[in-house]
Amino acid sequence: MNVLIYDSAEVIGQVVGKLFCDHVNNAPKACLGLATGVTPIPTYNYIAEEYAKGKVSFSNVTTFNLDEYCDLPREHRNSFYSFMMDNLFSKIDIKPENINFLDGNAADVEAESRRYAQKIEAAGGIDIQLLGIGRNGHIGFNEPSDKFTDEAFKVKLTDSTIEANSVFFDDIPMPHFAITMGIGSIMRAKKILLIATGESKAQAIKNTVEGEVTPQNPASILNQHPDVTIYLDRAAASLLK
Ligand code: GLP
């Protein structure tokens, strides 16, 4: 596990965004795992700028997003689908049929989980998985638990997660359930880049980098992955020894 510390979220966005663009230029049919939240926005801004400058094309790229809310129309402005359309997909030349999300409204979650796993496998697996981290150490929506999960599943969101995200929901109550790629799905990515910025992530980062591997801190599993790099600003790194 490599830990890199930078002066700002913007610089991290440039560094991580460049890694994605370089990978896509070397492997035009790349398969990318993407995350939502505030943290990845500088990375997506950099990627969109590189595309606008004609430095990279996503026309043969396939993407898989980590998670999506349940009981929320896909086009609702607070869905993770809308977040990705607004922050990245509407700004690059990715084909709509190559954008993949878990269906938060699937009647049969088990079948949806299998569908997603098969789609990822058919795409050759995820080359680079981008992750953020929740204040409680969740990755995707894998919340603290008594076990690590494997494939995608439906999760009841914790109060901490609902509190952190409900500020964005002003027309309807925030969903209390989501569907998320499991820890196993995430760990099967060939390379993982985790970004954390701000004071609110410092404890989760300390627990992940210096703590034990436990499902009570889901991100800690990353210590068992062969190719993980964690990008931190000074605030998120502030509790590390
Ligand atoms: C949400 C998402 C995670 C994300 C986390 C942190 O719960 N499901 O994928 O990493 O929140 O979000 P932010 O980057 O806005 O702090």
Side-chain angles (χ1 to χ4, degrees), residues 166-218:
S166 52
V167 291
F168 304 114
F169 287 82
D170 49 21
D171 61 334
I172 61 168
M174 175 176 167
H176 283 207
F177 289 87
I179 186 168
T180 179
M181 280 169 66
I183 293 293
S185 325
I186 293 168
M187 290 290 277
R188 279 186 281 278
K190 300 176 184 73
K191 185 185 191 69
I192 297 175
L193 309 179
L194 185 149
I195 305 175
T197 53
E199 195 74 40
S200 69
K201 306 297 174 70
Q203 188 59 55
I205 287 298
K206 181 176 182 60
N207 297 344
T208 299
V209 174
E210 296 174 355
E212 60 169 331
V213 175
T214 164
Q216 289 304 326
N217 176 34

Side-chain angles (χ1 to χ4, degrees), residues 35-40 66-67 80 131-134 138 140-141 161 165 201:
T36 59
V38 171
T39 305
L66 274 171
D67 44 14
F80 286 168
L131 295 177
I133 187 169
H138 73 234
F141 267 135
T161 299
N165 291 281
K201 306 297 174 70

Side-chain angles (χ1 to χ4, degrees), residues 8 14 36 48 57 104-105 115 128 141 144 146 162 182 185 190 214:
S8 72
Q14 291 159 9
T36 59
S57 167
N105 299 311
R115 179 191 72 81
I128 307 180
F141 267 135
D146 55 6
I162 290 170
S185 325
K190 300 176 184 73
T214 164

Side-chain angles (χ1 to χ4, degrees), residues 220-233:
S220 62
I221 191 70
L222 298 175
N223 286 283
Q224 294 180 357
H225 190 283
D227 187 356
V228 175
T229 304
I230 294 184
Y231 298 82
L232 305 172
D233 67 358

Side-chain angles (χ1 to χ4, degrees), residues 68-69 72 75-83 168-172:
E68 181 57 276
Y69 288 118
L72 191 69
E75 279 67 27
H76 188 279
R77 67 171 175 281
N78 291 120
S79 70
F80 286 168
Y81 173 81
S82 296
F83 174 96
F168 304 114
F169 287 82
D170 49 21
D171 61 334
I172 61 168

